[in-house]
Amino acid sequence: SVPVVENLYCFATMASVSYRELLLLTLIIIKSEGFLDSSLCSSNEITTTCNGEETEVLNLLTLLPCPTTINGSAVLATDRNRGKDMLPAACLAVKRINDMSDILPDYKIKLVPSCTEVCNETVFPESLTSFARYAFDSDCSIVGIVGLLCPSVTDVISRLAGRPEVRLLQVSAGDSPHSFANNTEHPGLYRIVSSSAVYNKALVSIMKVFQWQRISLFFNNQQVYFTGTKDEFVRRIEEENLQLSLTEELSASSISQTFDDLQIDRLRIAYGSMRIDEAALVLCEAHKRNLLWPNYVWIFHDHTIADLIANSNCGEVNITRALEGVFLFRFGLLPDSDTQLVSGQTSTEEFPDGSELAGNKYSRAVYDSIWTFALALNRTQNVLNSSALQTYSVIEREMQNVRFSGASGAISFNNTTREANTTVNIYQVTGGEAVYIGFYSPTTNNITLYNTIADVPSDRFETAFVKVPLGLRCAALGSAAVLFLITTISLIMFIAFLDTPDIKAASPILSIMIFIGCYFLNVAAILTALRDFTIQESNTTPYAIVCNCEVWFAVLGLKLIFSTLFMRLLRVYRIFFNYSKMGKLWSNSSMVLVILLMVLPSVILLLLWTTIDPLRTKIEDTVFKASSDPPFTEISQSCSSEYLPAWLVLLLVYGTVILSLVVCLAIRTRKVTLDTFRDTKAVNSFIFMMAIILGICIPFTILFTIADNKTASASFAFQFMAILLTSVLCQVLLFAPKYFTLLREKIHYAPP
């Protein structure tokens, strides 16, 4: 029959026939052509002596993986691939069942062992021919299928075994993807070991314990087991509102890019759902890049330390170093040693340490799969000789009620997914050993950790905010405070000399307006110095408030000062050029009104900006210090809004217009020499100097702010210098000379 199956496979490949159609076609041809031979029931590829000569026999087709090479290449050395190691446990289960008078007293269980492909290899032709031989052989009286260690084999066989044409229940002893719970696609399939979904449940639970919100997933997308695990994990992460930041299909050719993506996204928690050799490859690459515990956490399921070392290509020393701190999830197939099993023996008595029975962890699951069938059949003896449909239905109903203490744990089936609730044991590699640290129970959906794990990293790297150096900030704050004090002293002196001709000639009301502008600038300088002191990772509101207030005070301060100077120079210009028609303009109230009208456009722009598009705190990753130990992320915090450039352009254009008018008037009045207006030259000097300073500082401030967050200190320096120098020069050039002159005259004319 093998050549027939091979020819059918070739035909199906060329004709794009689906697996299901191919298998059904195979079975039909094998049955119709008479290829089945009743002698096959005793000619097993896996030989065993555990079956006695019984008259009333219930045959269980036992499909176990057994080849040691594929196309000349050695098979991955994992427990699931060593089917022959599981036979002693299967024989022991049969012996215990057949020896018990209260279980199937009128029947005896007999195994019909047969080989299948090893796990994760193409299912052809061993599994198909084994299944086809026995499923349709009436002499064999097959009542069910056990074994099915490999998901790739189970996926094919289970799609056929429960169909109306066959009607065979199956009990799988191997872990399999969650998708096998679909009773339409996999009818009649029960599983001693929980589906891979339980690993995902365990991982989500441990994420909650360690408060991880972000995780990356590396997976193998070529094999049904890992594909199903990945799909279910993605769904579960979405349901739990967690973040799956990176999902990468793994291959030897793409592993470098995969790790590049991991580092670019700055992820430190990685979950691997892949074959043993691929997991070893990942750990070797992690060692090469030093992405190891405690800076990174790697989590794998199903694998052991010995298997990972055996399948690595980077040397035992390197893979051992990479394994340090790795979390390993494995099904808990080992009950307490003194637990009494369904056979009446304790776990230790049934599976003595060091015996061939205890050499393979899946042996216990195979043992329990046979007991599952026996207990279900024991409750349905009255229908065993009935029609296949009736027998199938009754046994399936009783299968859901099976409960017993098995060698792999307490066995009972979830009626929805038809799988046992297998505990997941959690290990962490410490000092080269897999240390048992706790378990996850799918029954209670709780995780229990016995050993405290020290220094478990968070899912995000530590962050360090890029701030203006503390010394520079303190110096700026001190300078702003001193300037505020100087401005206050200057105001006091101004009030003291208010009745002098020099003060009156300069219009006291205009001087007051300049003082208000200077105080606004002083407040803006203080806010600029305080801005980085308000940086908080958890609360960005104070920073945004300071930013908005800073803009208001700086813009209004500058506008008040230069609008007032415009009126002051215009007044001088009118006096010397005899513009008598503008006489009504020069009352104090009129001048203040004009100044406020000149400031009003800026107020309107600021109101619109603050209302429609206020400055908000913008947080950006500046650089990731991957080579540091531990790695950390530098984060910059700045003020920004959606239309920031547009608002700045509008404010700068209007400010440039006012500054240009003031400069023009300064040029026109630079030759005024009358003593009463002797401070006009000082005013002109202030204007010319401010035009130069603002023309340099403002563009550089904007350039450094927009171009690169690494220039935060330079941006701060130019911004603070523009505000500070405006206020300082205002006092030094506009008011200080008058005070010195008035003090000198007062001293000179003071009575002896």
Side-chain angles (χ1 to χ4, degrees):
S1 60
V2 172
V4 174
V5 176
E6 289 176 341
N7 292 333
L8 285 171
Y9 180 79
C10 294
F11 164 75
T13 303
M14 292 185 292
S16 299
V17 177
S18 69
Y19 248 133
R20 178 182 296 176
E21 293 166 331
L22 169 64
L23 295 175
L24 289 175
L25 186 60
T26 304
L27 294 174
I28 292 169
I29 291 179
I30 290 176
K31 184 176 182 181
S32 63
E33 294 298 326
F35 286 123
L36 294 177
D37 183 350
S38 61
S39 63
L40 289 174
C41 209
S42 59
S43 60
N44 301 311
E45 291 87 340
I46 303 180
T47 58
T48 175
T49 58
C50 63
N51 299 311
E53 295 297 328
E54 310 297 346
T55 54
E56 298 291 336
V57 175
L58 297 175
N59 292 299
L60 290 178
L61 178 58
T62 309
L63 298 177
L64 300 173
C66 57
T68 56
T69 61
I70 296 178
N71 297 328
S73 301
V75 171
L76 295 176
T78 61
D79 281 354
R80 281 197 304 187
N81 285 339
R82 295 193 286 264
K84 291 182 180 180
D85 295 346
M86 307 171 200
L87 272 178
C91 292
L92 178 62
V94 169
K95 182 178 186 304
R96 297 290 190 220
I97 294 166
N98 289 340
D99 287 346
M100 299 183 76
S101 60
D102 57 341
I103 297 180
L104 296 171
D106 299 327
Y107 297 89
K108 296 299 180 182
I109 297 291
K110 181 179 179 181
L111 297 183
V112 183
S114 187
C115 278
T116 70
E117 291 75 18
V118 293
C119 299
N120 303 322
E121 296 299 331
T122 303
V123 182
F124 172 81
E126 291 283 354
S127 299
L128 302 186
T129 53
S130 296
F131 175 72
R133 286 172 180 172
Y134 302 118
F136 288 94
D137 189 351
S138 58
D139 292 335
C140 287
S141 302
I142 298 297
V143 295
I145 304 174
V146 295
L148 296 174
L149 270 295
C150 301
S152 49
V153 173
T154 307
D155 185 41
V156 174
I157 301 301
S158 64
R159 291 178 184 273
L160 292 171
R163 290 177 62 83
E165 300 91 339
V166 185
R167 290 292 178 183
L168 286 175
L169 290 171
Q170 321 105 58
V171 179
S172 169
D175 29 359
S176 53
H178 178 71
S179 57
F180 285 10
N182 187 328
N183 197 37
T184 302
E185 294 291 331
H186 305 276
L189 174 64
Y190 286 79
R191 293 175 284 181
I192 291 297
V193 180
S194 291
S195 73
S196 57
V198 76
Y199 286 134
N200 300 334
K201 294 177 183 178
L203 180 54
V204 168
S205 294
I206 208 169
M207 287 179 69
K208 292 178 179 179
V209 170
F210 296 143
Q211 299 181 346
W212 293 335
Q213 295 293 318
R214 305 167 70 232
I215 194 168
S216 58
L217 171 65
F218 293 175
F219 66 95
N220 176 308
N221 201 34
Q222 303 301 314
Q223 291 149 11
V224 62
Y225 178 64
F226 300 113
T227 302
T229 305
K230 181 263 294 185
D231 293 341
E232 201 279 335
F233 182 65
V234 172
R235 180 188 63 79
R236 189 166 299 279
I237 285 291
E238 291 174 351
E239 288 179 353
E240 297 290 341
N241 293 320
L242 300 172
Q243 182 180 354
L244 185 58
S245 301
L246 179 67
T247 306
E248 292 279 350
E249 181 180 352
L250 189 72
S251 67
S253 60
S254 66
I255 189 167
S256 179
Q257 182 61 50
T258 297
F259 270 76
D260 288 343
D261 293 340
L262 179 78
Q263 292 183 276
I264 289 171
D265 290 344
R266 296 165 196 182
L267 299 167
R268 63 192 314 186
I269 315 298
Y271 176 40
S273 181
M274 60 192 69
R275 293 183 336 208
I276 185 71
D277 58 325
E278 294 168 331
L281 186 65
V282 166
L283 288 173
C284 286
E285 184 69 17
H287 179 271
K288 177 182 176 182
R289 299 186 182 221
N290 197 34
L291 309 184
L292 306 176
W293 176 272
N295 298 328
Y296 291 81
V297 177
W298 296 95
I299 303 168
F300 299 97
H301 60 78
D302 287 324
H303 306 320
T304 65
I305 293 179
D307 289 341
L308 287 165
I309 292 176
N311 286 277
S312 72
N313 61 357
C314 58
E316 184 174 347
V317 173
N318 292 337
I319 190 69
T320 301
R321 170 68 186 94
L323 278 165
E324 188 69 19
V326 168
F327 286 87
L328 298 174
F329 290 177
R330 295 205 295 271
F331 285 122
L333 301 179
L334 296 174
D336 294 336
S337 58
D338 58 350
T339 299
Q340 188 175 43
L341 307 184
V342 64
S343 63
Q345 307 292 312
T346 66
S347 178
T348 302
E349 291 170 343
E350 201 76 311
F351 292 85
D353 292 339
S355 68
E356 62 175 354
L357 293 167
N360 190 311
K361 67 178 182 180
Y362 288 100
S363 295
R364 293 171 173 269
V366 172
Y367 176 94
D368 288 343
S369 67
I370 296 170
W371 269 103
T372 299
F373 255 117
L375 294 176
L377 291 170
N378 188 51
R379 301 167 64 96
T380 58
Q381 295 183 69
N382 59 322
V383 299
L384 288 180
N385 293 319
S386 303
S387 66
L389 177 60
Q390 183 181 2
T391 303
Y392 177 90
S393 301
V394 174
I395 296 177
E396 183 175 29
R397 184 177 65 247
E398 294 302 331
M399 192 82 78
Q400 297 175 3
N401 297 322
V402 167
R403 286 174 176 79
F404 65 95
S405 177
S408 60
I411 302 299
S412 63
F413 293 101
N414 181 312
N415 291 340
T416 302
T417 60
R418 308 185 313 283
E419 63 185 60
N421 293 316
T422 313
T423 298
V424 174
N425 288 338
I426 303 172
Y427 303 84
Q428 188 179 31
V429 181
T430 304
E433 299 291 333
V435 178
Y436 177 69
I437 61 173
F439 68 93
Y440 167 79
S441 170
T443 305
T444 61
N445 193 29
N446 285 325
I447 191 166
T448 302
L449 296 178
Y450 295 119
N451 299 323
T452 301
I453 307 172
D455 301 324
V456 174
S458 69
D459 58 351
R460 300 175 188 272
F461 289 100
E462 296 298 321
T463 57
F465 280 95
V466 178
K467 298 181 180 180
V468 175
L470 180 61
L472 182 57
R473 281 182 282 150
C474 291
L477 186 60
S479 301
V482 170
L483 181 58
F484 194 92
L485 179 63
I486 291 173
T487 304
T488 302
I489 294 172
S490 176
L491 178 61
I492 294 171
M493 294 182 68
F494 175 81
I495 295 172
F497 292 115
L498 190 60
D499 293 330
T500 62
D502 291 73
I503 298 297
K504 288 182 177 181
S507 180
I509 190 64
L510 296 183
S511 297
I512 293 296
M513 298 295 287
I514 291 175
F515 269 111
I516 294 174
C518 287
Y519 272 113
F520 277 17
L521 289 180
N522 290 345
V523 173
I526 292 173
L527 290 174
T528 301
L530 286 174
R531 189 200 308 154
D532 278 16
F533 285 103
T534 65
I535 290 178
Q536 302 176 47
E537 188 172 5
S538 58
N539 185 8
T540 60
T541 302
Y543 190 87
I545 293 174
V546 170
C547 287
N548 284 283
C549 293
E550 184 183 334
V551 170
W552 272 84
F553 281 107
V555 170
L556 293 182
L558 289 172
K559 291 298 189 298
L560 273 175
I561 291 174
F562 284 99
S563 297
T564 303
L565 290 177
F566 173 79
M567 285 303 304
R568 185 169 174 175
L569 289 177
L570 186 61
R571 179 169 171 265
V572 172
Y573 184 74
R574 174 257 176 189
I575 292 172
F576 282 92
F577 290 90
N578 194 24
Y579 282 83
S580 57
K581 294 181 181 179
M582 301 175 62
K584 292 184 179 180
L585 180 66
W586 309 121
S587 65
N588 286 338
S589 58
S590 298
M591 288 190 292
V592 170
L593 180 60
V594 172
I595 292 170
L596 294 178
L597 287 174
M598 294 179 69
V599 174
L600 183 60
S602 296
V603 174
I604 293 173
L605 283 173
L606 289 172
L607 281 173
L608 290 173
W609 186 1
T610 307
T611 304
I612 299 173
D613 185 32
L615 286 171
R616 295 180 175 85
T617 303
K618 181 181 180 181
I619 297 179
E620 293 181 346
D621 292 349
T622 303
V623 65
F624 179 52
K625 303 288 187 179
S627 59
S628 301
D629 189 16
F632 68 93
T633 302
E634 280 188 345
I635 292 181
S636 68
Q637 189 164 300
S638 60
C639 298
S640 184
S641 62
E642 186 175 358
Y643 303 107
L644 176 62
W647 298 114
L648 290 178
V649 167
L650 291 173
L651 288 171
L652 287 175
V653 167
Y654 183 63
T656 303
V657 170
I658 293 179
L659 183 60
S660 300
L661 292 174
V662 174
V663 170
C664 290
L665 285 174
I667 294 173
R668 296 295 297 273
T669 59
R670 69 185 184 280
K671 295 183 179 180
V672 173
T673 57
L674 191 66
D675 274 354
T676 308
F677 298 96
R678 57 191 172 189
D679 67 338
T680 302
K681 289 186 177 181
V683 172
N684 291 342
S685 299
F686 170 77
I687 292 171
F688 295 144
M689 292 180 67
M690 287 312 305
I692 295 172
I693 291 171
L694 294 178
I696 295 174
C697 290
I698 291 178
F700 273 99
T701 299
I702 296 173
L703 179 64
F704 284 131
T705 301
I706 296 176
D708 194 340
N709 287 317
K710 295 179 182 179
T711 58
S713 296
S715 175
F716 171 87
F718 276 99
Q719 181 179 344
F720 185 80
M721 186 167 57
I723 297 172
L724 188 72
L725 287 178
T726 302
S727 187
V728 168
L729 291 176
C730 188
Q731 300 303 320
V732 171
L733 296 178
L734 300 184
F735 295 103
K738 290 183 180 181
Y739 301 149
F740 287 133
T741 300
L742 291 171
L743 287 172
R744 187 171 60 251
E745 290 177 352
K746 187 174 183 179
I747 294 171
H748 180 73
Y749 293 109

